[in-house]
Amino acid sequence: MTAQTRVPAGRYGLAQAARMEWIKLRSLRSTWWTLLATAAGTVAIGVAVGLNTRDGSGDVTNNALAGVVPGLLLTGVLGVLTMTGEYSSGTIRATLAAVPRRPLVLAAKAVVFGAVTLIAGEVAAFVAFFAVQATLRPGVAAPALDQPGVLRAVAVTGAGSCLIGLIGLGLGAIIRHSAAAIGVLVGGVYVVAQFVGIMAHAVATYMPILIVANSLSTTRPVTCGTDAASCPDFLSAWTGLGVLALYAAVALAVGGWLLARRDA
Amino acid sequence: MIEVRNLTRRYGRTIAVDALSFDVRPGSVTGFLGPNGSGKSTTMRLILGLDRPDAGQARVGGHRYRELRWPLREVGALLDAKAHPGRTARNHLAALAAAGAIPPARVDEVLDLVGLTAAAGRRAGKFSLGMSQRLGMAAALLGDPAVLLLDEPVNGLDPEGVRWIRNLLKSLAAQGRTVFVSSHLISEMALTAERLVVIGRGRLLADTTVAELSAGSASLEDAFFRLTSEAVEYQGNEATS
């Protein structure tokens, strides 16, 4: 027992909890593999869709960002596992013994995981955009960031990836079991969204995956003109981003509330 | 100093911990004994604020665990809190050190103390039970705390490890720390502890010294069985031929 370190003044807080969560996140190889696979998939799908774009009059930016939607699944799953991995391994008890003010644990995870996935999401979206710009067929006019709505579409799509990740994190805190939480995420965000998209147009515009595909990653909101019966008018990019942020905030608030109340 | 007052916890209809009150004082090793399912681990989780009590409370150094300013520097705990299998021993400890604003150099110090220096870069999923226990001890000692709560620390350890824990706990107590160790190994407690808290079915059966409890019985084991005979939840039978 050397280094009898003096107890510092004050009290542990978000800074210490966030440092702990950053070390935990970066020390798992799966974090980096998942983010790399997400980015690679986003770019590859974007390029493939770009190469198949023959009509430059459509929303080519939206095509370039087509890989983001499948990529989101991995980010969401990573968010789930960031929380449920603690329960399946038993590390949660060490974590909560170190930071007994429990909402702080989830807040720290949200800050760290949110920052990492925001950066990863933006990098993936911009790399996909530039890769598609460079690989379009001759004759298809490449979009540029200074055209109306293009920079916004790319940037907001990257942020959407982070918000889906945070929804996953919140679901992980609520459900605690990896398989069940991933099931709810995939079922809720993907399957139900697709189903609702077909069945109930009024609600479809609020489905997370459709927000990303039709509100965030478009230079102009998807509308169907007069044929409104078969296709809803989607939210504007900023409203869509706000709705996604609201979902993430609700999932995290409920998760934090349950974390503070349940036995570990 | 650990103060447990009227601590009660139910799970559905079963009472896991039933109006338990006792003190654990600094300067000696206090053993926490009881049959399987008697509520030892639950009591430890309640003291650490991991489970919520239905009634009563536990205080460590005069505070409830959740109110501690630097928990890891005040209380070290060994629970069934495994490191994530994908994380190395060093990173597991580095993460905890960050939460307690503990200097990173201390991580290597405790790794050396528990004999895991050579395995520091290996992932915890590859660890044997004994190595996991050593990593758990390293985490408990990380913040150089005045109070230690150790749930079955010798589980899975080889004879050398068992002796190492025994001597470590004694020296920690001799430094004036509060050392509270649960075990179902009575013979081990007879060698390690000075004081004993014995529970059965969540209730306090004895709060005494090893010497007092053993007096009048052939061994501490006999005394323990006499004490807990009414409170055994799971009992095997002799094999019939």
Side-chain angles (χ1 to χ4, degrees):
Chain A
M1 296 293 114
T2 51
Q4 174 89 35
T5 47
R6 266 188 329 114
V7 175
R11 190 182 188 190
Y12 75 95
L14 186 63
Q16 285 76 29
R19 250 174 243 134
M20 169 174 75
E21 292 304 332
W22 166 236
I23 295 173
K24 287 202 283 195
L25 189 66
R26 74 170 154 80
S27 62
L28 289 180
R29 287 183 206 171
S30 53
T31 301
W32 302 110
W33 283 117
T34 309
L35 292 176
L36 195 67
T38 307
T42 302
V43 175
I45 294 171
V47 169
V49 174
L51 283 172
N52 282 305
T53 304
R54 289 153 204 275
D55 176 12
S57 68
D59 194 341
V60 181
T61 303
N62 185 232
N63 293 356
L65 297 171
V68 170
V69 168
L72 287 175
L73 183 61
L74 286 177
T75 313
V77 168
L78 189 62
V80 166
L81 293 178
T82 298
M83 198 66 215
T84 58
E86 296 235 357
Y87 286 98
S88 56
S89 63
T91 314
I92 188 70
R93 286 184 286 275
T95 299
L96 296 181
V99 182
R101 281 188 287 167
R102 298 183 182 185
L104 215 52
V105 170
L106 192 60
K109 277 187 192 293
V111 167
V112 170
F113 183 74
V116 168
T117 51
L118 179 63
I119 293 167
E122 294 295 356
V123 168
F126 276 96
V127 171
F129 177 79
F130 290 123
V132 170
Q133 212 180 28
T135 56
L136 282 172
R137 284 165 179 266
V140 179
L145 286 179
D146 56 4
Q147 286 166 355
V150 173
L151 178 60
R152 186 204 62 213
V154 179
V156 156
T157 301
S161 167
C162 153
L163 291 173
I164 298 282
L166 291 176
I167 291 173
L169 181 66
L171 283 178
I174 293 167
I175 299 170
R176 298 191 286 186
H177 297 281
S178 303
I182 290 170
V184 169
L185 177 79
V186 176
V189 171
Y190 284 77
V191 182
V192 175
Q194 298 299 340
F195 186 70
V196 170
I198 300 164
M199 301 301 293
H201 295 318
V203 193
T205 54
Y206 293 96
M207 294 292 116
I209 209 71
L210 300 177
I211 289 176
V212 176
N214 297 297
S215 300
L216 303 192
S217 62
T218 53
T219 54
R220 35 187 184 262
V222 175
T223 53
C224 309
T226 52
D227 194 14
S230 63
C231 169
D233 285 342
F234 284 94
L235 305 173
S236 77
W238 296 115
T239 312
L241 195 69
V243 171
L244 275 190
L246 184 69
Y247 292 159
V250 169
L252 288 170
V254 173
W257 185 78
L258 288 171
L259 179 65
R261 258 147 204 81
R262 294 195 286 213
D263 292 337
Chain B
M1 180 82 163
I2 303 169
E3 299 154 281
V4 171
R5 290 290 173 275
N6 193 34
L7 203 60
T8 303
R9 175 64 206 234
R10 293 179 200 86
Y11 295 104
R13 278 190 192 170
T14 50
I15 296 194
V17 175
D18 191 357
L20 203 53
S21 296
F22 60 85
D23 287 347
V24 184
R25 293 181 190 83
S28 57
V29 176
T30 303
F32 192 24
L33 287 174
N36 290 146
S38 57
K40 299 189 297 291
S41 295
T42 304
T43 303
M44 291 218 163
R45 285 201 304 272
L46 289 168
I47 294 171
L48 292 168
L50 294 172
D51 286 12
R52 263 170 190 272
D54 291 311
Q57 57 169 275
R59 287 176 176 268
V60 185
H63 300 280
R64 276 193 278 198
Y65 192 87
R66 285 184 191 208
E67 297 162 356
L68 295 178
R69 297 152 64 86
W70 294 101
L72 294 184
R73 291 165 172 272
E74 294 164 65
V75 182
L78 172 76
L79 293 171
D80 54 340
K82 298 269 165 18
H84 192 290
R87 200 171 281 130
T88 65
R90 181 178 279 114
N91 281 327
H92 174 67
L93 295 173
L96 295 175
I102 295 162
R106 177 71 183 157
V107 169
D108 288 316
E109 222 173 86
V110 289
L111 281 166
D112 183 53
L113 184 68
V114 303
L116 281 181
T117 301
R122 280 166 64 185
R123 289 191 275 169
K126 306 281 180 201
F127 277 17
S128 67
L129 179 56
M131 290 167 82
S132 295
Q133 288 290 80
R134 286 170 186 269
L135 180 56
M137 278 303 294
L141 296 168
L142 192 60
D144 201 14
V147 177
L148 285 146
L149 269 87
L150 311 169
D151 195 6
E152 307 273 2
V154 299
N155 254 7
L157 288 180
D158 54 20
E160 187 276 330
V162 172
R163 176 180 281 188
W164 166 68
I165 288 277
R166 189 188 303 150
N167 293 333
L168 178 66
L169 297 188
K170 285 182 175 175
S171 70
L172 290 166
Q175 290 164 3
R177 295 173 211 257
T178 304
V179 183
F180 191 42
V181 196
S182 84
S183 182
H184 55 264
L185 301 176
I186 297 150
S187 51
E188 186 50 40
M189 280 299 106
L191 292 171
T192 312
E194 276 175 59
R195 299 196 56 87
L196 288 176
V197 171
V198 185
I199 63 169
R201 292 197 172 143
R203 288 176 162 273
L204 186 70
L205 298 179
D207 180 358
T208 180
T209 64
V210 172
E212 270 177 47
L213 189 61
S214 328
S217 294
S219 67
L220 181 64
E221 194 176 54
D222 287 342
F224 175 80
F225 286 138
R226 208 151 28 77
L227 197 59
T228 59
S229 58
E230 296 295 304
V232 174
E233 195 92 16
Y234 307 104
Q235 194 161 27
N237 291 299
E238 284 182 29
T240 48
S241 53

